[in-house]
Amino acid sequence: MSLCYQTHFNPVAVKPSASRRPPKRFLVCNLSVPTSAALEADPAPIFTSVKTFAPATVANLGPGYDCFGCAVDGLGDHVTLRVDSATRAGQISISEIDGFGDSGTRLSKDPLWNCAGIAAIAVMKKLGVRSVGLSISLQKGLPLGSGLGSSAASAAAAAVAVNEIFGRRLGVQELVEAGLESEAKVSGYHADNIAPAIMGGFVLIRSYEPLKLCPLKFPDDKDLFFVLVNPEFEAPTKKMRAVLPKEVGMSHIVWNCSQALALGAAVIQGDVRELGSAMSSDRIVEPRRAPLIPGFESVKRAALEAGAYGCTISGAGPTAVAVVDDEELGLAVGAKMVEAFMKDGSLMASAVVKRLDRVGARLVSSVV
Amino acid sequence: MSLCYQTHFNPVAVKPSASRRPPKRFLVCNLSVPTSAALEADPAPIFTSVKTFAPATVANLGPGYDCFGCAVDGLGDHVTLRVDSATRAGQISISEIDGFGDSGTRLSKDPLWNCAGIAAIAVMKKLGVRSVGLSISLQKGLPLGSGLGSSAASAAAAAVAVNEIFGRRLGVQELVEAGLESEAKVSGYHADNIAPAIMGGFVLIRSYEPLKLCPLKFPDDKDLFFVLVNPEFEAPTKKMRAVLPKEVGMSHIVWNCSQALALGAAVIQGDVRELGSAMSSDRIVEPRRAPLIPGFESVKRAALEAGAYGCTISGAGPTAVAVVDDEELGLAVGAKMVEAFMKDGSLMASAVVKRLDRVGARLVSSVV
């Protein structure tokens, strides 16, 4: 059974001023569904187990550094969550971690130090779960530290699993808040992976205090493919942050704001050419980080020469992401990028071509 | 006779890569119509006189500082341009300047030091005019130094007038380039007033080298009104520039890019609420400039309390601009803003409510 989580994303009317009709919204901000008051404390589970999936995400997209991200289809993590009498009531355990590479040995099974565990605990707290113990089995489909939102995918799948097993009582906003607790502990207080991992599509984080999430809808009738090229190289995350400038001069700020403005317009319009052009044009973050990824400059050049509309670093890297509007072209672009990583970075790399994920974290199956 | 200049704005195909169909474009960048090669040198005029109009413009719109602007309907400058045997062939003279306040005495009639004159000369040069002398009569409808693109309106009206009198041989890109020569001399090398003054609507300046202009189309079926409140106060332009920070920290950059991204999306979607919210949220420029405009903080607060979706400084000020989607509401908002300028800034002010201008500089009448 596949149950689309999308139902949660229906626009929720945000209190319009009394005198005016609420306008049709596209930036549905403050998605919070005010469910908390209606929640009974300590709810009973409606399933004995659920399986969920959450997609990989591409954060930053150039000038959208630390505020913008999107989900990609067909890559991600699965969580199986079970009501578990062997786990103390109100608590969670992690029974198993397997999947991509050595994820199983590198990730902690202590739920307080595992991104899926932290997110699950945060959701249980919001729901007021006290009488039921749960156990998580995490199946990693994403490499760690690749710049594809690996920790966010685990957190999103776990948060949604807990919510589903108790009858889907929380709204999107609460789930993102729960996931953000996990991200804050594991990879930094930023929502540009966890928000699209939960909500799907493109999501802009307009503010953190309060958390204001704005999905930007890419038109259904337009095609958008991401060419994701992951080299066998672990980006030194600390260095990736440390290399950022403390302060930036006005000319670069004006430039990046201009590209960000174009990026927002291009997403709504479904203009992949301009989306790519804007994504490729960051003058603040990418120029500092690119030199830390061997061969990246050549990889980007190869992508553009092969016909991609744009190319940048996915998240903090090392994955390089290019955009195209045609799958076959994407495969050709990916091959050239892999070649360039080897030629100029001496790195083995693999390429996949994936569509935009428009759904986000979702229930895959459930057992009553 | 009224002749809409809009015909020039039809999308001009930008060389698509050979293997793919050109996508439908909204960001029609590099509008340049490659007319120069086809131009005969020293063309003959097709009219003896023309009258043109160019609209006022609101530059910056908060996070779009120095790269974004739009045109407002029903406010602007007129130029009457005549073939004039008393003016030396290939040259231009300014016969008259009248209109708003003391514009007539404050503006130079030397065409080399007048924004209309400089733009007209630049267009004549591009056209290769050598055998005809022209004279300009400029009618200012805009106050000087108000933040409403007064110099750009004069330059745009003059540039379009010269182009029209010789049979409209230049495209939009060339006209903006000509206007930019004028802006560079008179108020600084920025195109965020001159581009929308010539092109109408919202225009994003993506780059200067080369000049890449991207019109962002606000939907035809949506209403957008600007409440423009101009206080009796001349903003000290030099101070307005001098007060800008030399460097800015990353958190403010991320914030402003996020708002710019939302602004671009809101314009394309015609979402006035989010447009206003983004426009209101600049944390880099407005906070530095606002204290130089007596009462501005109160004026902004009054606008928002009265129901405006957003409010900021128009251009370098002192005009305050608020946005609404209803004309009547706009009048109420304007009244509150005027009141606040008096109460907290001790400044007399006047308010107008104007629609978005979607046409730009245009021919109003012509005599053969």
Side-chain angles (χ1 to χ4, degrees), chain B residues 269-295:
Chain B
Q269 193 69 15
D271 187 324
V272 183
R273 181 188 296 261
E274 290 301 334
L275 192 164
S277 159
M279 183 181 106
S280 265
S281 301
D282 167 28
R283 284 191 182 167
I284 295 176
V285 175
E286 189 192 297
R288 300 291 190 108
R289 288 182 162 177
L292 299 183
I293 303 171

Short mmCIF file of all heavy atoms in Angstrom, two decimals, chain B residues 269-295:
data_model
loop_
_atom_site.label_atom_id
_atom_site.label_comp_id
_atom_site.label_asym_id
_atom_site.label_seq_id
_atom_site.Cartn_x
_atom_site.Cartn_y
_atom_site.Cartn_z
N GLN B 269 3.97 34.87 -9.52
CA GLN B 269 2.71 34.29 -9.10
C GLN B 269 1.62 35.35 -8.93
O GLN B 269 0.45 35.02 -8.87
CB GLN B 269 2.92 33.54 -7.77
CG GLN B 269 1.78 32.64 -7.36
CD GLN B 269 1.64 31.43 -8.26
OE1 GLN B 269 2.54 31.10 -9.03
NE2 GLN B 269 0.49 30.78 -8.18
N GLY B 270 2.03 36.61 -8.85
CA GLY B 270 1.05 37.67 -8.59
C GLY B 270 0.52 37.62 -7.18
O GLY B 270 -0.63 37.96 -6.91
N ASP B 271 1.36 37.20 -6.26
CA ASP B 271 0.95 37.08 -4.85
C ASP B 271 1.37 38.36 -4.12
O ASP B 271 2.51 38.51 -3.68
CB ASP B 271 1.63 35.86 -4.24
CG ASP B 271 1.13 35.57 -2.83
OD1 ASP B 271 0.85 36.52 -2.07
OD2 ASP B 271 1.03 34.38 -2.48
N VAL B 272 0.44 39.28 -4.02
CA VAL B 272 0.76 40.61 -3.48
C VAL B 272 1.13 40.53 -2.00
O VAL B 272 1.98 41.27 -1.51
CB VAL B 272 -0.41 41.60 -3.69
CG1 VAL B 272 -0.02 42.99 -3.19
CG2 VAL B 272 -0.78 41.66 -5.16
N ARG B 273 0.51 39.60 -1.29
CA ARG B 273 0.82 39.46 0.13
C ARG B 273 2.30 39.09 0.33
O ARG B 273 3.01 39.71 1.12
CB ARG B 273 -0.07 38.37 0.75
CG ARG B 273 0.17 38.16 2.25
CD ARG B 273 -0.61 36.95 2.76
NE ARG B 273 -2.04 37.14 2.65
CZ ARG B 273 -2.82 37.51 3.66
NH1 ARG B 273 -2.29 37.74 4.85
NH2 ARG B 273 -4.12 37.65 3.50
N GLU B 274 2.77 38.10 -0.41
CA GLU B 274 4.16 37.68 -0.25
C GLU B 274 5.13 38.69 -0.86
O GLU B 274 6.24 38.86 -0.38
CB GLU B 274 4.39 36.28 -0.84
CG GLU B 274 3.72 35.17 -0.06
CD GLU B 274 4.20 35.07 1.40
OE1 GLU B 274 5.34 35.47 1.70
OE2 GLU B 274 3.41 34.61 2.23
N LEU B 275 4.68 39.34 -1.93
CA LEU B 275 5.49 40.40 -2.53
C LEU B 275 5.74 41.48 -1.46
O LEU B 275 6.87 41.93 -1.25
CB LEU B 275 4.75 40.97 -3.73
CG LEU B 275 5.47 41.89 -4.71
CD1 LEU B 275 4.67 41.99 -6.01
CD2 LEU B 275 5.73 43.27 -4.18
N GLY B 276 4.66 41.87 -0.78
CA GLY B 276 4.79 42.89 0.25
C GLY B 276 5.66 42.43 1.40
O GLY B 276 6.52 43.16 1.90
N SER B 277 5.44 41.19 1.82
CA SER B 277 6.22 40.65 2.94
C SER B 277 7.71 40.64 2.61
O SER B 277 8.55 41.04 3.43
CB SER B 277 5.71 39.24 3.26
OG SER B 277 6.66 38.52 3.97
N ALA B 278 8.06 40.20 1.40
CA ALA B 278 9.47 40.16 1.01
C ALA B 278 10.05 41.57 0.88
O ALA B 278 11.16 41.85 1.34
CB ALA B 278 9.62 39.40 -0.31
N MET B 279 9.28 42.45 0.27
CA MET B 279 9.71 43.83 0.05
C MET B 279 10.00 44.53 1.38
O MET B 279 10.88 45.40 1.47
CB MET B 279 8.57 44.53 -0.69
CG MET B 279 8.80 45.94 -1.10
SD MET B 279 7.31 46.56 -1.94
CE MET B 279 6.65 47.64 -0.66
N SER B 280 9.27 44.14 2.40
CA SER B 280 9.38 44.76 3.74
C SER B 280 10.53 44.24 4.56
O SER B 280 10.75 44.72 5.67
CB SER B 280 8.10 44.45 4.54
OG SER B 280 7.17 45.48 4.43
N SER B 281 11.24 43.22 4.07
CA SER B 281 12.10 42.43 4.95
C SER B 281 13.60 42.64 4.76
O SER B 281 14.39 41.85 5.25
CB SER B 281 11.78 40.94 4.76
OG SER B 281 10.42 40.69 5.05
N ASP B 282 13.97 43.67 4.04
CA ASP B 282 15.40 43.95 3.83
C ASP B 282 16.09 44.24 5.16
O ASP B 282 15.65 45.09 5.92
CB ASP B 282 15.51 45.15 2.88
CG ASP B 282 16.90 45.75 2.82
OD1 ASP B 282 17.88 45.02 3.05
OD2 ASP B 282 17.00 46.95 2.52
N ARG B 283 17.18 43.53 5.43
CA ARG B 283 17.93 43.78 6.67
C ARG B 283 19.29 44.44 6.41
O ARG B 283 20.09 44.59 7.32
CB ARG B 283 18.18 42.45 7.41
CG ARG B 283 16.95 41.96 8.11
CD ARG B 283 17.27 40.81 9.04
NE ARG B 283 16.05 40.32 9.66
CZ ARG B 283 15.96 39.17 10.32
NH1 ARG B 283 17.03 38.39 10.43
NH2 ARG B 283 14.82 38.80 10.86
N ILE B 284 19.57 44.76 5.15
CA ILE B 284 20.90 45.31 4.84
C ILE B 284 20.85 46.81 4.54
O ILE B 284 21.58 47.58 5.14
CB ILE B 284 21.54 44.53 3.66
CG1 ILE B 284 21.79 43.08 4.08
CG2 ILE B 284 22.84 45.18 3.21
CD1 ILE B 284 22.33 42.16 3.00
N VAL B 285 19.96 47.21 3.63
CA VAL B 285 19.97 48.61 3.20
C VAL B 285 18.96 49.47 3.98
O VAL B 285 19.30 50.52 4.51
CB VAL B 285 19.71 48.70 1.68
CG1 VAL B 285 19.58 50.14 1.23
CG2 VAL B 285 20.84 48.01 0.91
N GLU B 286 17.72 49.01 4.04
CA GLU B 286 16.68 49.83 4.68
C GLU B 286 17.02 50.22 6.12
O GLU B 286 16.82 51.39 6.50
CB GLU B 286 15.33 49.10 4.62
CG GLU B 286 14.16 49.98 5.06
CD GLU B 286 12.87 49.20 5.27
OE1 GLU B 286 12.37 48.62 4.30
OE2 GLU B 286 12.37 49.17 6.42
N PRO B 287 17.55 49.29 6.94
CA PRO B 287 17.84 49.69 8.32
C PRO B 287 18.87 50.82 8.43
O PRO B 287 18.86 51.55 9.40
CB PRO B 287 18.41 48.40 8.94
CG PRO B 287 17.89 47.29 8.08
CD PRO B 287 17.81 47.86 6.71
N ARG B 288 19.75 50.95 7.42
CA ARG B 288 20.74 52.02 7.45
C ARG B 288 20.16 53.33 6.95
O ARG B 288 20.54 54.41 7.40
CB ARG B 288 21.94 51.66 6.55
CG ARG B 288 22.68 50.39 6.94
CD ARG B 288 23.42 50.56 8.26
NE ARG B 288 24.31 49.44 8.49
CZ ARG B 288 25.64 49.52 8.41
NH1 ARG B 288 26.24 50.65 8.14
NH2 ARG B 288 26.38 48.44 8.64
N ARG B 289 19.25 53.23 5.98
CA ARG B 289 18.73 54.45 5.36
C ARG B 289 17.52 55.03 6.09
O ARG B 289 17.32 56.26 6.09
CB ARG B 289 18.34 54.17 3.91
CG ARG B 289 19.55 53.98 3.01
CD ARG B 289 19.15 53.75 1.58
NE ARG B 289 20.27 53.99 0.68
CZ ARG B 289 20.24 53.81 -0.62
NH1 ARG B 289 19.13 53.41 -1.21
NH2 ARG B 289 21.30 54.05 -1.37
N ALA B 290 16.73 54.14 6.68
CA ALA B 290 15.48 54.59 7.30
C ALA B 290 15.70 55.72 8.31
O ALA B 290 14.95 56.71 8.31
CB ALA B 290 14.76 53.41 7.95
N PRO B 291 16.75 55.65 9.17
CA PRO B 291 16.92 56.72 10.16
C PRO B 291 17.19 58.10 9.55
O PRO B 291 17.05 59.11 10.23
CB PRO B 291 18.13 56.24 10.98
CG PRO B 291 18.20 54.77 10.75
CD PRO B 291 17.70 54.56 9.36
N LEU B 292 17.57 58.12 8.26
CA LEU B 292 17.84 59.41 7.62
C LEU B 292 16.56 60.07 7.09
O LEU B 292 16.59 61.20 6.61
CB LEU B 292 18.84 59.25 6.47
CG LEU B 292 20.23 58.71 6.83
CD1 LEU B 292 21.12 58.67 5.61
CD2 LEU B 292 20.86 59.57 7.92
N ILE B 293 15.46 59.34 7.13
CA ILE B 293 14.18 59.90 6.67
C ILE B 293 13.30 60.09 7.91
O ILE B 293 12.77 59.12 8.46
CB ILE B 293 13.49 58.96 5.66
CG1 ILE B 293 14.42 58.69 4.47
CG2 ILE B 293 12.16 59.54 5.19
CD1 ILE B 293 13.92 57.61 3.52
N PRO B 294 13.11 61.34 8.34
CA PRO B 294 12.38 61.58 9.59
C PRO B 294 10.99 60.94 9.57
O PRO B 294 10.20 61.18 8.65
CB PRO B 294 12.27 63.11 9.65
CG PRO B 294 13.40 63.61 8.81
CD PRO B 294 13.57 62.59 7.72
N GLY B 295 10.71 60.11 10.55
CA GLY B 295 9.39 59.52 10.68
C GLY B 295 9.20 58.22 9.92
O GLY B 295 8.14 57.58 10.03
#
